Amino acid sequence: MKRSSLPVVIISSLLITLLNSCSNVQKKHDDTLGLKNVSEFPIGTAIQIQTLMNDPELSKLQIENFNSITSDRDMKMNRIIPTEGNYNWKTVDTILYYAKTHDQRLFGHNLIWHSSTPEWVETKGAKDSLWLAKFMKEYIHSYVGRYKGKVAAWDVVNEGFETVGGNYRKTFWYNKIGKDYIAKAFIYAHEADPKAVLFYNDFNIERDTVKLNAVLKMVKDLKAQGVPISGIGFQMHIRMDTPDDVIANSLRKAAETGLQIHLSEVDIIFNKHNDTQNGGIQIYNKLTDEMRKAQAEKYKNLVLMYRKIVPKSQQFGITFWNFTDRDTWINPFFNLKDWPTIYDNSLKPKPAYFGFKEGLEQEIN
Ligand code: GLA
């Protein structure tokens, strides 16, 4: 190894001291403050209300850290209207009560999603598209109308584009109503609650440029037609090897629309999958300290990118899709053993938690 000359050593150590002191220019660090207390925008989590209510330790953490809540299943169509004519509002009312009690924003996820369309709707709609169009209108009007002023924002359409690339997903809704089902859903939601923030939400748009461009083109077209879309949701189910500069670029492009930007379902995995159920590809079997640190850094960078790139007025918030490795959807869904969240299996904060928090606290200019 080449030896450095003395002046170089002195200058570089001065530089390092200077850099360290700069990165220490942070808001006063306080371990007792939850994430929500050090954030300029809402921090949320998707969670099952039942899990929360049955687990006091989990709900303590949830209350300490979050000021926004999304239901991970109970607000989807197959739960709201499981059989014809039978709206089930009970669980949503319970979630709303919880949100109100703990001063949390309630985020509505979601109105139209091919994966949560009840079977009876598909059967009936397959035979009669006119009925389906009417049903969609009535459903959105009743649901959004009932929670007008109470549910702050909605994912109006979830995953309307193919997994990969720039084509509209040929869902049941698309096939029966046509591409306009998206515009209509937004219009109906706005009619029912003009103040609600209305999102289009999708996955992989932080890394699939073709898909992102297609979504942005749709947003532009919808806006040109006067359709009341007010936000873009990046699900942000990312991997450790999703390059930060690619994410940054996508956030920048989305922010240029002027719409609200929500990181709506954040988690960061180490292993891989092919985007389909049971499609996990196990690469890492054990979580090492080095991996923990790298994940902390990734979480920190994600928050910093969001804060630096998305203008304050468009920062709708960051929401985790479950916040513990114990409860994450990743493992059962992809049939993987992974550690994607900020709390471990025994509900202890991981380095990822502190990385994320540091990203919230660090001064930026
Ligand atoms: C997608 C959906 C969510 C949820 C997750 C996995 O990202 O938007 O509602 O189903 O998958 O649980």
Side-chain angles (χ1 to χ4, degrees), residues 9-79:
V9 171
I10 293 172
I11 291 172
S12 53
S13 61
L14 274 175
L15 208 65
I16 288 168
T17 318
L18 192 71
L19 280 175
N20 279 344
S21 67
C22 285
S23 69
N24 283 341
V25 185
Q26 292 180 358
K27 285 177 212 154
K28 228 170 129 224
H29 187 76
D30 183 345
D31 271 349
T32 61
L33 293 178
L35 300 176
K36 66 177 184 187
N37 302 113
V38 296
S39 176
E40 291 152 348
F41 45 79
I43 303 291
T45 180
I47 199 149
Q48 277 295 101
I49 192 72
Q50 217 44 51
T51 317
L52 208 51
M53 302 211 340
N54 292 335
D55 188 337
E57 199 186 341
L58 189 75
S59 90
K60 183 172 174 284
L61 296 177
Q62 203 276 340
I63 295 162
E64 274 168 14
N65 283 296
F66 302 102
N67 48 8
S68 179
I69 185 166
T70 302
S71 170
D72 82 353
R73 282 203 283 276
D74 292 323
M75 290 180 74
K76 293 172 176 167
M77 193 185 277
N78 51 5
R79 299 292 176 113

Side-chain angles (χ1 to χ4, degrees), residues 72 76 109-110 113 158-159 201 235 237 265 321 329:
D72 82 353
K76 293 172 176 167
H109 175 83
N110 51 49
W113 185 34
N158 194 32
E159 304 181 352
N201 191 51
Q235 291 187 1
H237 297 294
E265 307 188 10
W321 202 259
W329 69 290

Side-chain angles (χ1 to χ4, degrees), residues 234 245-257 309-310:
F234 283 77
D245 58 337
V246 172
I247 299 176
N249 205 33
S250 302
L251 288 177
R252 194 165 298 119
K253 278 161 84 177
E256 278 164 11
T257 59
I309 295 168
V310 178

Side-chain angles (χ1 to χ4, degrees), residues 153-262:
W154 293 90
D155 280 334
V156 177
V157 175
N158 194 32
E159 304 181 352
F161 281 81
E162 295 290 0
T163 298
V164 179
N167 292 324
Y168 282 93
R169 196 183 280 274
K170 305 301 176 299
T171 65
F172 161 75
W173 297 95
Y174 181 101
N175 291 334
K176 291 288 145 197
I177 301 181
K179 167 178 140 205
D180 266 3
Y181 84 93
I182 297 182
K184 287 184 174 145
F186 277 94
I187 292 168
Y188 301 150
H190 184 71
E191 284 167 358
D193 185 355
K195 289 203 178 128
V197 188
L198 304 179
F199 283 86
Y200 174 78
N201 191 51
D202 215 326
F203 64 98
N204 289 0
I205 51 176
E206 71 289 340
R207 58 178 174 276
D208 182 338
T209 318
V210 179
K211 185 166 180 174
L212 176 68
N213 287 342
V215 169
L216 295 179
K217 160 99 177 40
M218 173 193 74
V219 167
K220 199 169 156 209
D221 293 348
L222 290 176
K223 280 175 48 176
Q225 293 165 46
V227 174
I229 178 169
S230 32
I232 301 175
F234 283 77
Q235 291 187 1
M236 209 56 86
H237 297 294
I238 56 174
R239 294 197 325 217
M240 289 297 296
D241 63 0
T242 313
D244 284 350
D245 58 337
V246 172
I247 299 176
N249 205 33
S250 302
L251 288 177
R252 194 165 298 119
K253 278 161 84 177
E256 278 164 11
T257 59
L259 296 189
Q260 294 292 303
I261 306 293
H262 185 201

